[in-house]
Amino acid sequence: SLEAEIAAHEQRLAEVQAALDAATAASETAQAEQSRLETARNAAAERVEDVRRRQAVLAERADVLEDLLRRHEGVHTGVKEVLGLRESEPTGVMRHVVGLPADLIRAPLEIAAAVDAALAERAQYVVVDEQIDLAAIVEFAESRLGGRAAFLSLTAVPTAEPNVDGSPAGRPGIVGRLDLLVDFDEPHRPLVRRLLGTTWLVDTIDTAVALRREFPALAFVTRRGECLTTDGALVAGRSRDTGHARCAA
């Protein structure tokens, strides 16, 4: 009969609807699982990237430590003693030691020889913070050090620009003022300016000779470490400890 046929169709419709509901639920479950897996994949990728970043930091730190060891080769006996006492007696007078200029100035590899040459003996200055008592340094050095060491207090460093007549900036062969070509922590800017602010990096020593006639108060250095100092001395060749020339402005 017609009623039986309608009932049969309604039953089939209900079965189809139930199947559709089940498929929809399965689809939603699959989408939820896909979303969970995507979240897990992203989290795993982030962990991998974090591990890579940590490895990079550790590798960089290892490079820094190796560089510090290299830089401290050839350091004077008294300076080595100061650095050793800073580590072995962290509450002693040497706790105020900030480091050596070579530790505080980060130079690109291509001008590292020029920076080291420009620092010359000043690379062995022991930089101390503003809290240290200079009289205490004298007493300490006389009683504890087997060698001599030069101490430079951050408070003794002027904050003004170097007082020189004129600037060779823009001249042919000029690369730049050395203190502006290196990196350092901002509190050490006056120190770096004091040590390197009157030294200019040039392409060749011939350029240095030509410029010095006009700028006698400045020092000039090449990437190879050849220097023309403010007193007119030309410094070239290799030093025993660094492998290249050492000069002072």
Side-chain angles (χ1 to χ4, degrees):
S1 67
L2 182 59
E3 291 180 352
E5 187 176 349
I6 292 174
H9 281 298
E10 288 179 344
Q11 183 177 356
R12 286 196 295 273
L13 181 61
E15 291 173 352
V16 170
Q17 184 62 48
L20 178 60
D21 291 342
T24 300
S27 176
E28 291 175 349
T29 300
Q31 289 177 353
E33 179 64 12
Q34 182 181 5
S35 177
R36 185 188 69 79
L37 292 175
E38 182 69 17
T39 299
R41 187 186 70 82
N42 291 338
E46 289 179 1
R47 288 194 295 271
V48 170
E49 185 61 27
D50 182 60
V51 170
R52 287 175 177 170
R53 285 195 295 266
R54 292 182 181 181
Q55 287 178 331
V57 170
L58 291 175
E60 182 179 358
R61 178 58 179 165
D63 289 342
V64 169
L65 292 175
E66 289 178 2
D67 184 60
L68 289 179
L69 289 174
R70 179 189 62 78
R71 286 172 180 264
H72 289 166
E73 291 179 358
V75 169
H76 295 165
T77 300
V79 178
K80 283 185 176 180
E81 290 176 326
V82 168
L83 297 177
L85 289 169
R86 179 184 62 172
E87 300 301 323
S88 62
E89 300 179 8
T91 60
V93 175
M94 293 300 101
R95 70 183 183 277
H96 297 292
V97 170
V98 178
L100 304 184
D103 304 332
L104 307 179
I105 299 173
R106 299 181 291 275
L109 182 61
E110 62 270 17
I111 65 169
V115 171
D116 188 72
L119 287 172
E121 286 302 308
R122 297 174 301 179
Q124 307 231 15
Y125 284 177
V126 178
V127 181
V128 294
D129 62 30
E130 65 279 359
Q131 300 177 11
I132 197 166
D133 182 356
L134 295 183
I137 290 182
V138 174
E139 181 179 353
F140 174 86
E142 291 179 348
S143 62
R144 299 291 304 278
L145 298 185
R148 294 176 65 83
F151 296 86
L152 178 63
S153 173
L154 289 174
T155 58
V157 178
T159 58
E161 286 284 335
N163 184 20
V164 296
D165 295 330
S167 168
R171 298 293 184 88
I174 282 287
V175 179
R177 205 175 77 187
L178 209 52
D179 64 314
L180 302 180
L181 302 178
V182 298
D183 190 23
F184 45 83
D185 294 337
E186 186 59 30
H188 301 145
R189 180 179 295 277
L191 172 70
V192 177
R193 184 188 295 131
R194 170 71 173 271
L195 296 175
L196 301 177
T198 57
T199 302
W200 289 74
L201 182 66
V202 295
D203 56 353
T204 66
I205 199 64
D206 290 335
T207 298
V209 172
L211 288 171
R212 191 186 179 279
R213 299 188 185 99
E214 186 175 352
F215 303 99
L218 299 177
F220 299 93
V221 63
T222 68
R223 286 187 174 90
R224 295 172 56 184
E226 301 155 334
C227 306
L228 192 59
T229 69
T230 54
D231 58 10
L234 173 62
V235 183
R238 295 177 177 272
S239 67
R240 183 178 305 172
D241 52 345
T242 66
H244 46 74
R246 301 291 294 272
C247 68

